[in-house]
PDB file of all heavy atoms in Angstrom:
ATOM      1  N   ILE A  47       9.261  15.934 -19.378  1.00 93.00           N
ATOM      2  CA  ILE A  47       8.342  14.794 -19.331  1.00 93.00           C
ATOM      3  C   ILE A  47       8.682  13.797 -18.226  1.00 93.00           C
ATOM      4  O   ILE A  47       7.821  13.383 -17.451  1.00 93.00           O
ATOM      5  CB  ILE A  47       8.329  14.075 -20.696  1.00 93.00           C
ATOM      6  CG1 ILE A  47       7.738  14.995 -21.758  1.00 93.00           C
ATOM      7  CG2 ILE A  47       7.546  12.773 -20.626  1.00 93.00           C
ATOM      8  CD1 ILE A  47       7.795  14.434 -23.152  1.00 93.00           C
ATOM      9  N   VAL A  48       9.947  13.396 -18.164  1.00 93.00           N
ATOM     10  CA  VAL A  48      10.332  12.283 -17.303  1.00 93.00           C
ATOM     11  C   VAL A  48      10.092  12.543 -15.812  1.00 93.00           C
ATOM     12  O   VAL A  48       9.564  11.662 -15.115  1.00 93.00           O
ATOM     13  CB  VAL A  48      11.803  11.885 -17.562  1.00 93.00           C
ATOM     14  CG1 VAL A  48      12.267  10.842 -16.554  1.00 93.00           C
ATOM     15  CG2 VAL A  48      11.951  11.358 -18.989  1.00 93.00           C
ATOM     16  N   PRO A  49      10.452  13.697 -15.243  1.00 94.00           N
ATOM     17  CA  PRO A  49      10.210  13.895 -13.805  1.00 94.00           C
ATOM     18  C   PRO A  49       8.743  13.749 -13.409  1.00 94.00           C
ATOM     19  O   PRO A  49       8.425  13.145 -12.379  1.00 94.00           O
ATOM     20  CB  PRO A  49      10.724  15.318 -13.557  1.00 94.00           C
ATOM     21  CG  PRO A  49      11.757  15.532 -14.607  1.00 94.00           C
ATOM     22  CD  PRO A  49      11.217  14.826 -15.812  1.00 94.00           C
ATOM     23  N   VAL A  50       7.835  14.293 -14.213  1.00 93.00           N
ATOM     24  CA  VAL A  50       6.409  14.165 -13.910  1.00 93.00           C
ATOM     25  C   VAL A  50       5.982  12.707 -13.994  1.00 93.00           C
ATOM     26  O   VAL A  50       5.213  12.213 -13.145  1.00 93.00           O
ATOM     27  CB  VAL A  50       5.574  15.024 -14.885  1.00 93.00           C
ATOM     28  CG1 VAL A  50       4.082  14.833 -14.634  1.00 93.00           C
ATOM     29  CG2 VAL A  50       5.946  16.497 -14.752  1.00 93.00           C
ATOM     30  N   TYR A  51       6.495  12.013 -14.980  1.00 93.00           N
ATOM     31  CA  TYR A  51       6.183  10.579 -15.106  1.00 93.00           C
ATOM     32  C   TYR A  51       6.696   9.809 -13.908  1.00 93.00           C
ATOM     33  O   TYR A  51       5.999   8.929 -13.373  1.00 93.00           O
ATOM     34  CB  TYR A  51       6.792  10.032 -16.399  1.00 93.00           C
ATOM     35  CG  TYR A  51       6.803   8.528 -16.446  1.00 93.00           C
ATOM     36  CD1 TYR A  51       5.633   7.794 -16.600  1.00 93.00           C
ATOM     37  CD2 TYR A  51       8.006   7.823 -16.327  1.00 93.00           C
ATOM     38  CE1 TYR A  51       5.639   6.418 -16.629  1.00 93.00           C
ATOM     39  CE2 TYR A  51       8.025   6.441 -16.366  1.00 93.00           C
ATOM     40  CZ  TYR A  51       6.844   5.738 -16.513  1.00 93.00           C
ATOM     41  OH  TYR A  51       6.864   4.371 -16.539  1.00 93.00           O
ATOM     42  N   TRP A  52       7.891  10.107 -13.447  1.00 93.00           N
ATOM     43  CA  TRP A  52       8.451   9.409 -12.292  1.00 93.00           C
ATOM     44  C   TRP A  52       7.632   9.665 -11.029  1.00 93.00           C
ATOM     45  O   TRP A  52       7.480   8.765 -10.201  1.00 93.00           O
ATOM     46  CB  TRP A  52       9.905   9.841 -12.077  1.00 93.00           C
ATOM     47  CG  TRP A  52      10.853   9.126 -13.004  1.00 93.00           C
ATOM     48  CD1 TRP A  52      10.585   8.036 -13.772  1.00 93.00           C
ATOM     49  CD2 TRP A  52      12.223   9.462 -13.242  1.00 93.00           C
ATOM     50  NE1 TRP A  52      11.699   7.663 -14.490  1.00 93.00           N
ATOM     51  CE2 TRP A  52      12.721   8.512 -14.184  1.00 93.00           C
ATOM     52  CE3 TRP A  52      13.074  10.456 -12.768  1.00 93.00           C
ATOM     53  CZ2 TRP A  52      14.032   8.550 -14.649  1.00 93.00           C
ATOM     54  CZ3 TRP A  52      14.381  10.495 -13.231  1.00 93.00           C
ATOM     55  CH2 TRP A  52      14.850   9.538 -14.151  1.00 93.00           C
ATOM     56  N   VAL A  53       7.128  10.869 -10.870  1.00 92.00           N
ATOM     57  CA  VAL A  53       6.273  11.163  -9.714  1.00 92.00           C
ATOM     58  C   VAL A  53       5.011  10.303  -9.764  1.00 92.00           C
ATOM     59  O   VAL A  53       4.623   9.681  -8.761  1.00 92.00           O
ATOM     60  CB  VAL A  53       5.909  12.657  -9.672  1.00 92.00           C
ATOM     61  CG1 VAL A  53       4.827  12.919  -8.621  1.00 92.00           C
ATOM     62  CG2 VAL A  53       7.134  13.504  -9.362  1.00 92.00           C
ATOM     63  N   CYS A  54       4.374  10.261 -10.916  1.00 90.00           N
ATOM     64  CA  CYS A  54       3.169   9.435 -11.070  1.00 90.00           C
ATOM     65  C   CYS A  54       3.484   7.964 -10.883  1.00 90.00           C
ATOM     66  O   CYS A  54       2.721   7.223 -10.234  1.00 90.00           O
ATOM     67  CB  CYS A  54       2.551   9.668 -12.449  1.00 90.00           C
ATOM     68  SG  CYS A  54       1.980  11.348 -12.740  1.00 90.00           S
ATOM     69  N   LEU A  55       4.614   7.517 -11.426  1.00 89.00           N
ATOM     70  CA  LEU A  55       5.012   6.119 -11.292  1.00 89.00           C
ATOM     71  C   LEU A  55       5.271   5.765  -9.837  1.00 89.00           C
ATOM     72  O   LEU A  55       4.851   4.694  -9.361  1.00 89.00           O
ATOM     73  CB  LEU A  55       6.257   5.852 -12.129  1.00 89.00           C
ATOM     74  CG  LEU A  55       6.833   4.432 -12.066  1.00 89.00           C
ATOM     75  CD1 LEU A  55       5.843   3.422 -12.624  1.00 89.00           C
ATOM     76  CD2 LEU A  55       8.152   4.344 -12.825  1.00 89.00           C
ATOM     77  N   SER A  56       5.953   6.634  -9.098  1.00 88.00           N
ATOM     78  CA  SER A  56       6.251   6.374  -7.687  1.00 88.00           C
ATOM     79  C   SER A  56       4.979   6.237  -6.879  1.00 88.00           C
ATOM     80  O   SER A  56       4.857   5.348  -6.023  1.00 88.00           O
ATOM     81  CB  SER A  56       7.111   7.506  -7.118  1.00 88.00           C
ATOM     82  OG  SER A  56       8.337   7.597  -7.807  1.00 88.00           O
ATOM     83  N   PHE A  57       4.021   7.093  -7.144  1.00 86.00           N
ATOM     84  CA  PHE A  57       2.746   7.031  -6.428  1.00 86.00           C
ATOM     85  C   PHE A  57       2.032   5.717  -6.737  1.00 86.00           C
ATOM     86  O   PHE A  57       1.506   5.053  -5.835  1.00 86.00           O
ATOM     87  CB  PHE A  57       1.875   8.223  -6.832  1.00 86.00           C
ATOM     88  CG  PHE A  57       0.536   8.258  -6.152  1.00 86.00           C
ATOM     89  CD1 PHE A  57       0.432   8.600  -4.809  1.00 86.00           C
ATOM     90  CD2 PHE A  57      -0.618   7.950  -6.861  1.00 86.00           C
ATOM     91  CE1 PHE A  57      -0.805   8.625  -4.182  1.00 86.00           C
ATOM     92  CE2 PHE A  57      -1.851   7.979  -6.238  1.00 86.00           C
ATOM     93  CZ  PHE A  57      -1.950   8.309  -4.890  1.00 86.00           C
ATOM     94  N   TYR A  58       2.052   5.311  -7.991  1.00 83.00           N
ATOM     95  CA  TYR A  58       1.377   4.085  -8.398  1.00 83.00           C
ATOM     96  C   TYR A  58       2.089   2.861  -7.826  1.00 83.00           C
ATOM     97  O   TYR A  58       1.448   1.901  -7.388  1.00 83.00           O
ATOM     98  CB  TYR A  58       1.331   4.010  -9.918  1.00 83.00           C
ATOM     99  CG  TYR A  58       0.201   3.161 -10.451  1.00 83.00           C
ATOM    100  CD1 TYR A  58      -1.107   3.614 -10.404  1.00 83.00           C
ATOM    101  CD2 TYR A  58       0.452   1.915 -11.012  1.00 83.00           C
ATOM    102  CE1 TYR A  58      -2.144   2.838 -10.887  1.00 83.00           C
ATOM    103  CE2 TYR A  58      -0.577   1.131 -11.506  1.00 83.00           C
ATOM    104  CZ  TYR A  58      -1.882   1.606 -11.441  1.00 83.00           C
ATOM    105  OH  TYR A  58      -2.902   0.831 -11.921  1.00 83.00           O
ATOM    106  N   LEU A  59       3.420   2.883  -7.811  1.00 82.00           N
ATOM    107  CA  LEU A  59       4.175   1.770  -7.233  1.00 82.00           C
ATOM    108  C   LEU A  59       3.901   1.643  -5.740  1.00 82.00           C
ATOM    109  O   LEU A  59       3.830   0.539  -5.198  1.00 82.00           O
ATOM    110  CB  LEU A  59       5.675   1.982  -7.474  1.00 82.00           C
ATOM    111  CG  LEU A  59       6.168   1.824  -8.907  1.00 82.00           C
ATOM    112  CD1 LEU A  59       7.638   2.181  -9.014  1.00 82.00           C
ATOM    113  CD2 LEU A  59       5.933   0.400  -9.408  1.00 82.00           C
ATOM    114  N   PHE A  60       3.749   2.762  -5.072  1.00 81.00           N
ATOM    115  CA  PHE A  60       3.442   2.743  -3.637  1.00 81.00           C
ATOM    116  C   PHE A  60       2.091   2.082  -3.384  1.00 81.00           C
ATOM    117  O   PHE A  60       1.936   1.301  -2.438  1.00 81.00           O
ATOM    118  CB  PHE A  60       3.452   4.170  -3.091  1.00 81.00           C
ATOM    119  CG  PHE A  60       3.046   4.262  -1.656  1.00 81.00           C
ATOM    120  CD1 PHE A  60       3.934   3.916  -0.642  1.00 81.00           C
ATOM    121  CD2 PHE A  60       1.776   4.694  -1.306  1.00 81.00           C
ATOM    122  CE1 PHE A  60       3.553   3.991   0.695  1.00 81.00           C
ATOM    123  CE2 PHE A  60       1.383   4.775   0.017  1.00 81.00           C
ATOM    124  CZ  PHE A  60       2.280   4.419   1.023  1.00 81.00           C
ATOM    125  N   LEU A  61       1.121   2.370  -4.235  1.00 79.00           N
ATOM    126  CA  LEU A  61      -0.208   1.796  -4.062  1.00 79.00           C
ATOM    127  C   LEU A  61      -0.227   0.302  -4.360  1.00 79.00           C
ATOM    128  O   LEU A  61      -0.952  -0.467  -3.713  1.00 79.00           O
ATOM    129  CB  LEU A  61      -1.214   2.506  -4.973  1.00 79.00           C
ATOM    130  CG  LEU A  61      -1.532   3.964  -4.633  1.00 79.00           C
ATOM    131  CD1 LEU A  61      -2.506   4.538  -5.657  1.00 79.00           C
ATOM    132  CD2 LEU A  61      -2.113   4.086  -3.225  1.00 79.00           C
ATOM    133  N   LEU A  62       0.583  -0.132  -5.330  1.00 71.00           N
ATOM    134  CA  LEU A  62       0.550  -1.529  -5.773  1.00 71.00           C
ATOM    135  C   LEU A  62       1.770  -2.320  -5.310  1.00 71.00           C
ATOM    136  O   LEU A  62       2.059  -3.385  -5.856  1.00 71.00           O
ATOM    137  CB  LEU A  62       0.465  -1.585  -7.302  1.00 71.00           C
ATOM    138  CG  LEU A  62      -0.780  -0.956  -7.936  1.00 71.00           C
ATOM    139  CD1 LEU A  62      -0.730  -1.118  -9.441  1.00 71.00           C
ATOM    140  CD2 LEU A  62      -2.048  -1.584  -7.385  1.00 71.00           C
ATOM    141  N   TYR A  63       2.467  -1.839  -4.301  1.00 64.00           N
ATOM    142  CA  TYR A  63       3.742  -2.435  -3.896  1.00 64.00           C
ATOM    143  C   TYR A  63       3.709  -3.964  -3.767  1.00 64.00           C
ATOM    144  O   TYR A  63       4.596  -4.634  -4.296  1.00 64.00           O
ATOM    145  CB  TYR A  63       4.208  -1.806  -2.578  1.00 64.00           C
ATOM    146  CG  TYR A  63       5.418  -2.475  -1.978  1.00 64.00           C
ATOM    147  CD1 TYR A  63       6.690  -2.253  -2.505  1.00 64.00           C
ATOM    148  CD2 TYR A  63       5.291  -3.350  -0.911  1.00 64.00           C
ATOM    149  CE1 TYR A  63       7.799  -2.867  -1.980  1.00 64.00           C
ATOM    150  CE2 TYR A  63       6.404  -3.979  -0.368  1.00 64.00           C
ATOM    151  CZ  TYR A  63       7.653  -3.735  -0.899  1.00 64.00           C
ATOM    152  OH  TYR A  63       8.743  -4.350  -0.368  1.00 64.00           O
ATOM    153  N   PRO A  64       2.717  -4.562  -3.111  1.00 63.00           N
ATOM    154  CA  PRO A  64       2.768  -6.035  -2.953  1.00 63.00           C
ATOM    155  C   PRO A  64       2.671  -6.798  -4.261  1.00 63.00           C
ATOM    156  O   PRO A  64       3.053  -7.961  -4.332  1.00 63.00           O
ATOM    157  CB  PRO A  64       1.554  -6.331  -2.059  1.00 63.00           C
ATOM    158  CG  PRO A  64       1.223  -5.029  -1.418  1.00 63.00           C
ATOM    159  CD  PRO A  64       1.554  -3.990  -2.443  1.00 63.00           C
ATOM    160  N   LYS A  65       2.157  -6.153  -5.308  1.00 67.00           N
ATOM    161  CA  LYS A  65       1.910  -6.870  -6.556  1.00 67.00           C
ATOM    162  C   LYS A  65       2.946  -6.560  -7.635  1.00 67.00           C
ATOM    163  O   LYS A  65       2.797  -6.988  -8.768  1.00 67.00           O
ATOM    164  CB  LYS A  65       0.521  -6.508  -7.086  1.00 67.00           C
ATOM    165  CG  LYS A  65      -0.613  -6.824  -6.103  1.00 67.00           C
ATOM    166  CD  LYS A  65      -1.955  -6.402  -6.673  1.00 67.00           C
ATOM    167  CE  LYS A  65      -3.073  -6.683  -5.696  1.00 67.00           C
ATOM    168  NZ  LYS A  65      -4.392  -6.265  -6.227  1.00 67.00           N
ATOM    169  N   ILE A  66       3.996  -5.836  -7.285  1.00 67.00           N
ATOM    170  CA  ILE A  66       4.975  -5.424  -8.287  1.00 67.00           C
ATOM    171  C   ILE A  66       5.902  -6.577  -8.661  1.00 67.00           C
ATOM    172  O   ILE A  66       6.392  -7.306  -7.800  1.00 67.00           O
ATOM    173  CB  ILE A  66       5.815  -4.236  -7.774  1.00 67.00           C
ATOM    174  CG1 ILE A  66       4.910  -3.034  -7.560  1.00 67.00           C
ATOM    175  CG2 ILE A  66       6.925  -3.894  -8.748  1.00 67.00           C
ATOM    176  CD1 ILE A  66       4.230  -2.554  -8.807  1.00 67.00           C
ATOM    177  N   TYR A  67       6.103  -6.755  -9.964  1.00 67.00           N
ATOM    178  CA  TYR A  67       7.086  -7.722 -10.454  1.00 67.00           C
ATOM    179  C   TYR A  67       8.377  -6.950 -10.703  1.00 67.00           C
ATOM    180  O   TYR A  67       8.526  -6.234 -11.682  1.00 67.00           O
ATOM    181  CB  TYR A  67       6.573  -8.374 -11.743  1.00 67.00           C
ATOM    182  CG  TYR A  67       7.515  -9.401 -12.330  1.00 67.00           C
ATOM    183  CD1 TYR A  67       7.884 -10.540 -11.599  1.00 67.00           C
ATOM    184  CD2 TYR A  67       8.023  -9.248 -13.612  1.00 67.00           C
ATOM    185  CE1 TYR A  67       8.740 -11.474 -12.136  1.00 67.00           C
ATOM    186  CE2 TYR A  67       8.883 -10.193 -14.158  1.00 67.00           C
ATOM    187  CZ  TYR A  67       9.228 -11.300 -13.413  1.00 67.00           C
ATOM    188  OH  TYR A  67      10.076 -12.236 -13.945  1.00 67.00           O
ATOM    189  N   PHE A  68       9.324  -7.060  -9.776  1.00 67.00           N
ATOM    190  CA  PHE A  68      10.470  -6.170  -9.743  1.00 67.00           C
ATOM    191  C   PHE A  68      11.378  -6.231 -10.979  1.00 67.00           C
ATOM    192  O   PHE A  68      11.975  -5.213 -11.339  1.00 67.00           O
ATOM    193  CB  PHE A  68      11.282  -6.412  -8.468  1.00 67.00           C
ATOM    194  CG  PHE A  68      10.646  -5.806  -7.254  1.00 67.00           C
ATOM    195  CD1 PHE A  68       9.836  -6.581  -6.429  1.00 67.00           C
ATOM    196  CD2 PHE A  68      10.820  -4.477  -6.944  1.00 67.00           C
ATOM    197  CE1 PHE A  68       9.226  -6.029  -5.314  1.00 67.00           C
ATOM    198  CE2 PHE A  68      10.222  -3.906  -5.837  1.00 67.00           C
ATOM    199  CZ  PHE A  68       9.419  -4.678  -5.020  1.00 67.00           C
ATOM    200  N   PRO A  69      11.530  -7.364 -11.645  1.00 70.00           N
ATOM    201  CA  PRO A  69      12.345  -7.334 -12.869  1.00 70.00           C
ATOM    202  C   PRO A  69      11.823  -6.366 -13.931  1.00 70.00           C
ATOM    203  O   PRO A  69      12.574  -5.956 -14.819  1.00 70.00           O
ATOM    204  CB  PRO A  69      12.285  -8.783 -13.356  1.00 70.00           C
ATOM    205  CG  PRO A  69      12.106  -9.581 -12.105  1.00 70.00           C
ATOM    206  CD  PRO A  69      11.203  -8.738 -11.255  1.00 70.00           C
ATOM    207  N   ASP A  70      10.552  -6.000 -13.861  1.00 78.00           N
ATOM    208  CA  ASP A  70       9.990  -5.058 -14.838  1.00 78.00           C
ATOM    209  C   ASP A  70      10.228  -3.613 -14.451  1.00 78.00           C
ATOM    210  O   ASP A  70       9.935  -2.704 -15.247  1.00 78.00           O
ATOM    211  CB  ASP A  70       8.477  -5.286 -14.972  1.00 78.00           C
ATOM    212  CG  ASP A  70       8.162  -6.530 -15.789  1.00 78.00           C
ATOM    213  OD1 ASP A  70       9.024  -6.934 -16.587  1.00 78.00           O
ATOM    214  OD2 ASP A  70       7.067  -7.080 -15.631  1.00 78.00           O
ATOM    215  N   LEU A  71      10.736  -3.365 -13.249  1.00 82.00           N
ATOM    216  CA  LEU A  71      10.911  -1.993 -12.793  1.00 82.00           C
ATOM    217  C   LEU A  71      11.834  -1.197 -13.711  1.00 82.00           C
ATOM    218  O   LEU A  71      11.613  -0.006 -13.937  1.00 82.00           O
ATOM    219  CB  LEU A  71      11.464  -1.974 -11.366  1.00 82.00           C
ATOM    220  CG  LEU A  71      10.440  -2.036 -10.231  1.00 82.00           C
ATOM    221  CD1 LEU A  71      11.148  -2.021  -8.880  1.00 82.00           C
ATOM    222  CD2 LEU A  71       9.458  -0.886 -10.328  1.00 82.00           C
TER     223      LEU A  71
END
């Protein structure tokens, strides 16, 4: 489960990078 989730998360973080609240990472 986790590797696939991390791939999806990385893609989403890349798209929303300017709006990320890093303490929630």
Side-chain angles (χ1 to χ4, degrees):
I47 294 175
V48 173
V50 177
Y51 166 71
W52 280 347
V53 170
C54 297
L55 178 64
S56 299
F57 180 73
Y58 205 73
L59 289 175
F60 176 77
L61 292 178
L62 298 181
Y63 172 76
K65 302 178 181 179
I66 296 299
Y67 180 60
F68 283 96
D70 284 337
L71 273 179

